[in-house]
Amino acid sequence: MTNPFAILSSREVYDNPWISLTEHAVRKPRGGEGIYGVVHFKNRAVGVVPYADGKVWLVGQHRFPLDAYSWEIPAGGAPFHEELEVCALRELAEETGLVASQLQKLFSMHLSNSVTDELAHVYLATELREGASHWEDTEELRVCTLSVDELLQRVLAGEITDSMTVAAAFRLKLMQLDGTL
């Protein structure tokens, strides 16, 4: 399908090592003019679901933009020169100390496609063994384990709201139901 928006002009409003913000003057699909701001991420989002013996590992941390505590699957950013699988294994080890022997792609998803081009890739990590965690200076994490059903219950109760974690919870439940997990 063709883009129904006509870009009349564009200007970069903000730029840092992780994101840039571009404001576009546009002609909207029904003919009026307006602006559209687009946040471009300079890394790809990667999430990883550590799973063993019916349990999923989550990390908890305070999220600055929300000013709230959040329980999530381990996740981070993959520079475009880094393989997605390498990033998934790195984030898993950094945040939980776990090392996985098996990695399976679960899905890709756009995280907030009305304002950003950010694309996330989520993996299932299995055959886990303990290692050492190495948190970044922006992280102060807690780690917990939940069954898939407990994870889904917390999602449905609105206690877990991170988009990759919510999507992963439903994907895991479907895999459980069809016998692939």
Side-chain angles (χ1 to χ4, degrees):
M1 240 179 153
T2 59
N3 184 350
F5 289 89
I7 297 174
L8 306 174
S9 66
S10 300
R11 71 181 181 97
E12 186 172 85
V13 176
Y14 179 77
D15 184 62
N16 72 28
W18 304 277
I19 63 170
S20 64
L21 172 61
T22 304
E23 182 180 272
H24 301 280
V26 298
R27 181 167 297 107
K28 297 182 253 181
R30 299 198 183 266
E33 291 187 5
I35 61 168
Y36 218 107
V38 176
V39 178
H40 168 71
F41 282 77
K42 297 180 181 180
N43 291 304
R44 295 158 298 163
V46 175
V48 58
V49 182
Y51 177 83
D53 300 321
K55 299 284 186 186
V56 174
W57 278 253
L58 297 180
V59 293
Q61 61 186 310
H62 188 89
R63 286 299 191 177
F64 184 87
L66 304 177
D67 192 19
Y69 203 81
S70 178
W71 285 99
E72 310 163 2
I73 60 173
F80 284 91
H81 67 272
E82 182 178 38
E83 294 292 324
L84 294 170
E85 295 83 2
V86 170
C87 178
L89 293 171
R90 175 177 50 75
E91 288 295 334
L92 175 64
E94 283 178 6
E95 295 187 3
T96 67
L98 295 170
V99 177
S101 296
Q102 293 290 335
L103 202 59
Q104 173 189 343
K105 179 95 176 253
L106 291 178
F107 56 85
S108 295
M109 62 186 277
H110 286 102
L111 295 179
S112 186
N113 64 4
S114 65
V115 295
T116 179
D117 62 1
E118 188 174 28
L119 182 63
H121 307 275
V122 179
Y123 292 85
L124 177 67
T126 56
E127 297 183 25
L128 305 173
R129 67 182 191 282
E130 299 268 337
S133 59
H134 304 283
W135 299 343
E136 297 176 5
D137 67 351
T138 59
E139 297 172 326
E140 184 160 319
L141 306 174
R142 289 176 40 209
V143 178
C144 77
T145 58
L146 300 171
S147 70
V148 173
D149 286 338
E150 291 168 325
L151 172 60
L152 192 54
Q153 287 169 2
R154 291 188 63 190
V155 165
L156 294 173
E159 297 169 17
I160 293 176
T161 59
D162 171 69
S163 59
M164 285 192 290
T165 307
V166 169
F170 284 100
R171 179 70 171 111
L172 291 175
K173 186 60 182 176
L174 289 173
M175 291 174 73
Q176 223 180 29
L177 292 171
D178 72 12
T180 58
L181 184 62

